[in-house]
Amino acid sequence: MRAVAKYGALATLGSLVLSTLTVAPAGGADFAGASSEERGTVVAAQRAAAAGIAFRSCSKAEMLPAPVTCGTVEVPLDYARPDGERIRLTVSRVKASGKTGAAGGEGKAVETVQRQGALVYNPGGPGASSMAFPMAAALPEWKRIAAAYDIVGYAPRGVGRSAPLSCQNAADYGKAPTLAPTYPSESYKRERVSRAKAYAQGCARSAGPALRHYTSLNNARDLDVLRAALGEKKLTFMGASYGTYFGALYASLFPSHVRRMVFDSAVNPDPDQIWYRNNLDQSLAFERRWADFRAWVAKHEATYGLGATPEEVQHSYERVRASLAHHPAGGKVGPGQLHAAMLGAGYYDDYWAMRATALSEFLKGNTKPLVDQASPQPAAAFDNENSNAVYTAVECNDAPWPTDWKVWDRDNTELATRAPFETWDNAWMNLPCAFWPAPRQRPADIRTEAGELPPTLILAAERDAATPYPGAQELQRRLSGSALVTERGAGTHGIAGGPNACVNDHVEAYLLTGKTPVPGAECAPHAEPNAVSLERDDTRSELHRRLNPGTQL
């Protein structure tokens, strides 16, 4: 599972007030009181502003159709050495249409609107790419925003074709079937400890000295270089999940460079939470969301036949798990693949009908829906391994983690008594951080003072499991002047541009006018999913799936 918030590699975080669209001091002149990384950021941004981005047709590897165009921006691997090794980040864009409505379409008149600049988006992770985000310009929920803004996506450092990071062979990472014991034995624990050590060593061998430079702080610095390359004096940014963490880090580092920022499904930025405790809280929150799913399935017992109570649905799920442990479906879907598929239902409730159908059909003897939904996809093996490598590197580099296995064992054993659904799988995903070879950083104390930062907008679903709701409240306390919109009674992760018109109205009003809602703004929950008796893979269009890549934070 994608663990939450990410670290900031900073002992001292002075605000960088210098304009990076002006020429940096010549001859190595010193910036009074600035760190070498701050000076390097100014130099890199100044270069990027001069070079710009040469947008042209996207490569076939990106699978992005016109009118999306692509380019690259150059950033230092190490901001303390801006003249040293540099890497290129891939960038995608659809230019602002300048018009809303469509002539002759549903009676809506065409309205010409003024361009407001570039809107840059990050979907989280760490390890997720937003290269497909410009395709959102074609969606009804984004039309008015896309009229006023260039819609910009990019692949952060290490991701996709942005100097990709790898820690192991992609085929080995995605091998199946696998087990996923809720209460692992001591021998299974020893096996996972050994695997975690090997994975950490693989990251070190693959990346070498560069490994230490995959951090949230560098992601924030890269964002400022991207801003300059786009020709923007101030940044308009939307980050989801982990994107809210390094977005907030950006706001703390570069408050004078912020125009507007949307934080969708916010990570808890408290330094004491980054990242070990955030992951424990996440596992606890997924238990509640798993209960929400089972309650919904039980309500539709007539459709699915999995039980009339959440407890009966759990029993049906355990029957499927037990069967797969002995006889993997399609030879590839074991308990590990089943759990990963069901975890997706914890993130997005529009998976609920599909997942319930797969469980129901399996118990009737039809394994195809489950095989279709849960089997590893060979075509995605590279991207999945790459995403996990970047996730691990950033989280492990960003903050201290317990280095004694006994601490992990104690904390997760206790938590699993209350939250068995996700606890141990989450622990295994993060365990390489216990044996990480690169230097650890201290998380930033993210905060801004009154008047330092323009008003920002925070969005949160009350029952979100991946980024539990208290994180949004903590971020609001730390970013002076921020406004929080809460979707009550809902738990989908990432709510901007989704099915809730109330949420979308707040986002649109803020991005188009700068207006933030009144304190305590709330939206009623979006409608529950419809129960269907047949597998429906069209619940999320291909476009929506690409804009919301799996279980990223």
Side-chain angles (χ1 to χ4, degrees):
M1 173 186 68
R2 299 291 169 203
V4 261
K6 294 22 175 154
Y7 2 68
L10 19 79
T12 58
L13 285 178
S15 296
L16 186 60
V17 181
L18 299 167
S19 170
T20 59
L21 285 176
T22 60
V23 177
D30 190 23
F31 296 95
S35 70
S36 57
E37 287 84 1
E38 288 173 331
R39 295 193 296 271
T41 306
V42 172
V43 170
Q46 182 268 333
R47 287 174 178 158
I53 300 176
F55 284 102
R56 53 180 59 91
S57 297
C58 300
S59 69
K60 290 183 178 179
E62 299 294 352
M63 297 185 291
L64 296 172
V68 182
T69 56
C70 295
T72 62
V73 59
E74 191 174 75
V75 301
L77 176 66
D78 179 359
Y79 276 92
R81 300 176 61 251
D83 294 324
E85 182 179 353
R86 303 176 201 175
I87 59 177
R88 289 185 175 274
L89 310 184
T90 58
V91 185
S92 58
R93 182 184 70 176
V94 163
K95 297 185 73 171
S97 69
K99 298 179 185 295
T100 63
E106 301 178 4
K108 295 181 179 179
V110 174
E111 175 188 1
T112 301
V113 298
Q114 184 176 359
R115 180 183 178 275
Q116 296 197 35
L119 170 62
V120 179
Y121 178 73
N122 179 274
S129 169
S130 61
M131 286 294 288
F133 179 62
M135 296 170 68
L139 298 176
E141 297 87 351
W142 294 92
K143 277 285 190 180
R144 286 177 55 81
I145 295 169
Y149 287 94
D150 297 347
I151 304 299
V152 176
Y154 74 108
R157 61 170 58 203
V159 178
R161 277 149 286 282
S162 295
L165 177 67
S166 174
C167 291
Q168 70 177 128
N169 181 278
D172 291 338
Y173 174 77
K175 69 178 181 180
T178 57
L179 298 174
T182 304
Y183 304 105
S185 66
E186 291 304 313
S187 62
Y188 186 82
K189 290 177 182 179
R190 288 193 296 270
E191 176 192 342
R192 294 308 300 250
V193 168
S194 178
R195 286 167 57 180
K197 290 178 180 178
Y199 189 84
Q201 293 164 1
C203 294
R205 282 195 304 271
S206 176
L211 184 62
R212 65 187 299 170
H213 299 298
Y214 295 92
T215 66
S216 293
L217 181 57
N218 279 341
N219 283 339
R221 292 169 177 149
D222 290 347
L223 188 57
D224 201 55
V225 177
L226 174 57
R227 170 199 61 77
L230 290 167
E232 301 293 333
K233 290 183 180 294
K234 293 181 181 290
L235 175 70
T236 301
F237 174 78
M238 177 183 290
S241 196
Y242 165 69
T244 69
Y245 179 72
F246 82 82
L249 182 56
Y250 182 96
S252 292
L253 285 168
F254 310 102
S256 66
H257 295 179
V258 173
R259 179 176 179 268
R260 292 171 193 161
M261 299 192 89
V262 179
F263 304 95
D264 183 6
S265 303
V267 157
N268 189 329
D270 184 338
D272 291 337
Q273 292 289 118
I274 307 295
W275 289 110
Y276 182 70
R277 295 198 176 279
N278 261 334
N279 276 282
L280 295 174
D281 289 349
Q282 189 184 54
S283 294
L284 186 61
F286 266 104
E287 192 67 27
R288 181 175 69 174
R289 196 59 181 153
W290 174 240
D292 290 346
F293 169 68
R294 290 184 291 118
W296 178 86
V297 174
K299 186 164 64 174
H300 298 287
E301 198 275 341
T303 300
Y304 301 115
L306 293 170
T309 67
E311 293 75 21
E312 291 176 355
V313 174
Q314 180 71 32
H315 178 68
S316 293
Y317 175 68
E318 296 299 341
R319 288 172 57 200
V320 177
R321 279 174 59 95
S323 177
L324 293 174
H326 292 92
H327 303 288
K332 291 291 186 180
V333 179
Q337 289 64 49
L338 172 69
H339 180 269
M342 293 303 150
L343 183 63
Y347 279 86
Y348 308 117
D349 61 17
D350 55 1
Y351 283 157
W352 285 6
M354 294 167 59
R355 299 298 188 256
T357 296
L359 294 175
S360 177
E361 289 298 307
F362 183 91
L363 291 175
K364 296 174 185 175
N366 177 15
T367 64
K368 186 178 185 303
L370 183 60
V371 170
D372 289 347
Q373 294 180 38
S375 291
Q377 301 299 313
F382 171 83
D383 288 342
N384 290 341
E385 190 281 326
N386 167 239
S387 177
N388 191 75
V390 175
Y391 166 86
T392 305
V394 173
E395 290 233 341
C396 296
N397 284 333
D398 261 3
W401 290 77
T403 57
D404 186 348
W405 159 246
K406 292 179 181 178
V407 174
W408 293 71
D409 194 16
R410 177 200 67 204
D411 292 346
N412 287 280
T413 297
E414 188 280 327
L415 182 59
T417 64
R418 297 179 287 137
F421 174 69
E422 173 58 7
T423 292
W424 278 111
D425 272 31
N426 199 6
W428 305 137
M429 181 171 185
N430 293 291
L431 189 57
C433 295
F435 313 107
W436 198 244
R440 317 299 182 91
Q441 301 173 349
R442 300 298 307 180
D445 186 22
I446 292 172
R447 62 179 69 251
T448 61
E449 303 300 328
E452 188 179 13
L453 186 70
T456 59
L457 182 65
I458 303 170
L459 312 174
E462 189 176 25
R463 299 180 71 82
D464 185 356
T467 51
Y469 185 67
Q473 296 172 309
E474 181 68 19
L475 181 60
Q476 184 184 28
R477 284 190 288 269
R478 289 171 174 269
L479 295 184
S480 179
S482 60
L484 172 61
V485 174
T486 302
E487 185 182 19
R488 294 293 181 193
T492 283
H493 183 60
I495 58 178
N500 194 313
C502 170
V503 171
N504 294 339
D505 286 347
H506 283 300
V507 173
E508 190 174 283
Y510 173 70
L511 288 176
L512 295 181
T513 70
K515 177 183 176 182
T516 54
V518 298
E522 297 183 357
C523 292
H526 63 272
E528 285 191 341
N530 290 322
V532 293
S533 57
L534 298 177
E535 181 185 10
R536 291 287 300 277
D537 201 14
D538 58 349
T539 311
R540 294 167 69 88
S541 69
E542 175 62 20
L543 177 54
H544 278 92
R545 282 195 293 273
R546 294 192 69 186
L547 296 180
N548 297 277
T551 55
Q552 308 288 338
L553 281 197

